[in-house]
Amino acid sequence: MSVTQSAEQADPRRWWGLVVIALAQLMVVLDATIVNIALPSAQRDLGMSDGNRQWVITAYTLAFGGLLLLGGRVADLVGRKRTFVIGLVGFAAASALGGAATGSGMLFAARALQGVFAAVLAPSALSLLTTTFTDPKERGKAFGIYGALAGSGSAIGFIVGGLLTEYLDWRWCLYVNVPIAVVAVFGALTLLHDRPGHAGARLDVPGVLLGCGGLVAIVYGFSEAEPRGWSDALVLTLLAGGVVLLAAFVWWQSRAPMPLLPLHIVKDRNRAGCFLTMGLAVIGMFGLFLFMTYYLQVVLAYSPVRTGLAFLPMTAAIIVGSTQISARLMNRVAPRMLMVPGMVLAAGGMLVLTRMTVDSSYATEILPALLLMGLGMGLTFMPVFSTATAGVAPQDSGVTSATVNTSQQVGGSIGTALLNTIATTSSTAYVTAHLTDPSKRALIVKEGVVHGYTVAIWCAVGIMLLAGLIAGVMVTAKPPQHDASAPAPVPESAV
């Protein structure tokens, strides 16, 4: 270890730098869900239709997931600290614009703009973390904190969204990002260090168009499947077109002089396994958040605050699983020994939820499921982030971090659209089959809604188990301190 690296590792301010990185990551992740609970209020205030209201969520996840690879490569080219600060400032400005929205179109545009800057900010945050903490023990602690935030940020968004909506106004679900971003900007300028970007490097424009276009087409296709149906020509065209674009993207990346996503990153068996595990896990998790929010508010008639607080035990379980179990065991056991049990636990929690009824008890039926889900996610997320970014050369750390985040955001977008479509279709079929007495319509409709949720959750159980299977088969990495075959991360001082 060089003297410069030793000094860098001895710098106590790196842990304050982790606080800044974690704060920015929390803001980005929770913003995917913080407006969910506020959505009914925003819809009434701005006169949104039932068909259009989904774009408050989808505009953000589409822009975020679709542009993450570009954001990761930009971070590598111009410097991560610079793009980190730019992302924070832009995200705050877009949040203020959304909070001041006077119509639905203005709010949709602001949410899309938030997604654009989140796509710049998120990979910069993870790559700064990757290159700051290279010692295996410190890396375990740092990624434990980061993994806890990545896994619990969505649930925290529900809690904060409920409090802000009930006691202030739905607009504060967007305004709240401004003071957080201001603190993070000052912290970044003071505490974070980074090497300069690659002067004279160029972006892979065809790769941007093919890759981002393919992701957007697929996510948009899944979102349109709910109102239009799976056999609709537009839906089929979007899904097929997305697959063709992504296939062309892979072909181009093998020939591009400066590829957006160097294929050697995804050809690595462990990284590919982590990307797939993350994507599948989040498909199930985001679908669950959507169903449980509506179940608690619409079926059980919870207030926004009570709904948000109902997710608190799950958040606590994610943090315990990530920081107290995964972080302590990561250097002693292989990553898949944490990821596989984590996915099995999460699937078990979802299995409990398939028994939901219109009058289920939170304490005896919902709470145990949320605790199992949270513990499983906490066990899984931390080793996924750490293993996927281990041993990556500094010039590729941004795009690798972006690929992890892309699998998370695209998985969330697909999960919300896909499982929501399954739930809606099943609910409609149930109501049609059981509505024989018009006087019982309200009860039958409510039962149909819950039936749709349970059918979709059964699908999510299968997806979670598939994620566990992929982790067990593909992620063959050894514990970090014993894995002599993995290349050590190159310290920033050596570049």
Side-chain angles (χ1 to χ4, degrees):
M1 181 181 293
S2 67
V3 175
T4 307
Q5 185 183 2
S6 299
E8 180 186 50
Q9 293 288 57
D11 182 6
R13 296 200 307 169
R14 69 189 181 284
W15 290 103
W16 286 107
L18 173 62
V19 172
V20 174
I21 294 170
L23 188 65
Q25 176 66 13
L26 177 63
M27 181 178 69
V28 168
V29 174
L30 68 82
D31 228 71
T33 57
I34 192 172
V35 298
N36 272 9
I37 291 179
L39 191 51
S41 300
Q43 182 181 359
R44 288 192 300 269
D45 196 9
L46 300 180
M48 283 181 261
S49 68
D50 289 345
N52 286 336
R53 65 184 179 187
Q54 60 142 337
W55 284 105
V56 176
I57 309 299
T58 310
Y60 180 78
T61 55
L62 269 176
F64 193 179
L67 296 174
L68 264 167
L69 286 175
L70 174 61
R73 184 48 80 191
V74 169
D76 286 333
L77 296 180
V78 305
R80 296 166 211 122
K81 179 178 176 179
R82 185 179 301 172
T83 53
F84 185 79
V85 172
I86 292 171
L88 283 169
V89 173
F91 196 90
S95 299
L97 180 66
T102 56
S104 59
M106 185 175 173
L107 180 58
F108 298 158
R111 289 287 287 168
L113 199 58
Q114 277 187 308
V116 171
F117 284 105
V120 174
L121 177 60
S124 302
L126 184 52
S127 57
L128 281 168
L129 179 65
T130 300
T131 52
T132 298
F133 295 93
T134 56
D135 177 79
K137 290 184 179 180
E138 290 193 346
R139 186 180 176 87
K141 294 178 183 177
F143 273 90
I145 295 170
Y146 187 90
L149 288 172
S152 63
S154 298
I156 293 172
F158 286 119
I159 298 169
V160 175
L163 291 168
L164 292 175
T165 301
E166 188 154 329
Y167 294 113
L168 291 174
D169 183 74
W170 68 266
R171 297 178 184 274
W172 278 97
C173 291
L174 295 162
Y175 286 143
V176 71
N177 293 319
V178 177
I180 295 175
V182 169
V183 172
V185 165
F186 281 109
L189 294 175
T190 305
L191 299 168
L192 298 181
H193 304 284
D194 187 30
R195 61 180 175 84
H198 297 278
R202 293 179 301 167
L203 286 175
D204 175 19
V205 176
V208 171
L209 296 176
L210 291 171
C212 299
L215 290 174
V216 169
I218 287 176
V219 174
Y220 185 37
F222 276 118
S223 68
E224 286 297 300
E226 179 193 356
R228 295 174 178 271
W230 289 105
S231 60
D232 182 79
L234 176 63
V235 172
L236 294 175
T237 300
L238 285 168
L239 295 177
V243 171
V244 170
L245 286 172
L246 290 181
F249 170 76
V250 173
W251 172 84
W252 172 250
Q253 294 307 283
S254 66
R255 290 159 176 79
M258 298 188 67
L260 180 67
L261 176 60
L263 292 184
H264 66 83
I265 290 174
V266 292
K267 283 181 179 178
D268 180 89
R269 177 173 180 158
N270 290 304
R271 270 195 285 275
C274 287
F275 297 152
L276 287 172
T277 301
M278 172 62 79
L280 290 169
V282 176
I283 284 177
M285 187 176 76
F286 266 58
L288 177 81
F289 284 152
L290 179 70
F291 300 145
M292 292 310 300
T293 300
Y294 278 93
Y295 176 78
L296 292 171
Q297 286 200 66
V298 177
V299 178
L300 298 186
Y302 280 23
S303 68
V305 169
R306 191 179 178 188
T307 300
L309 292 175
F311 284 100
L312 190 58
M314 181 179 181
T315 305
I318 290 174
I319 293 173
V320 169
S322 185
T323 62
Q324 301 304 311
I325 301 177
S326 279
R328 294 175 183 272
L329 294 178
M330 191 181 77
N331 291 328
R332 297 185 176 91
V333 302
R336 63 179 172 181
M337 298 303 293
L338 296 170
M339 294 160 64
V340 174
M343 286 293 89
V344 171
L345 275 175
M350 284 192 161
L351 198 60
V352 174
L353 289 177
T354 61
R355 301 175 61 84
M356 283 192 313
T357 65
V358 294
D359 55 1
S360 290
S361 166
Y362 175 81
T364 59
E365 298 175 70
I366 308 301
L367 178 59
L370 294 180
L371 290 174
L372 285 173
M373 276 281 296
L375 197 59
M377 288 297 179
L379 282 172
T380 303
F381 280 143
M382 192 277 236
V384 164
F385 280 120
S386 182
T387 305
T389 56
V392 179
Q395 64 268 24
D396 287 332
S397 64
V399 71
T400 304
S401 305
T403 309
V404 180
N405 279 287
T406 297
S407 63
Q408 185 177 8
Q409 291 303 319
V410 172
S413 301
I414 290 174
T416 300
L418 173 63
L419 296 180
N420 193 43
T421 298
I422 293 171
T424 303
T425 305
S426 301
S427 296
T428 302
Y430 182 93
V431 172
T432 302
H434 291 79
L435 188 57
T436 55
D437 185 353
S439 64
K440 297 181 179 180
R441 178 177 178 80
L443 176 61
I444 296 298
V445 168
K446 187 178 289 189
E447 289 177 346
V449 168
V450 176
H451 172 76
Y453 292 166
T454 56
V455 170
I457 290 172
W458 269 112
C459 296
V461 170
I463 293 171
M464 289 289 191
L465 292 175
L466 178 60
L469 177 63
I470 287 174
V473 172
M474 294 187 65
V475 183
T476 58
K478 297 177 182 178
Q481 64 182 12
H482 299 127
D483 192 359
S485 62
V490 180
E492 289 298 291
S493 57
V495 178

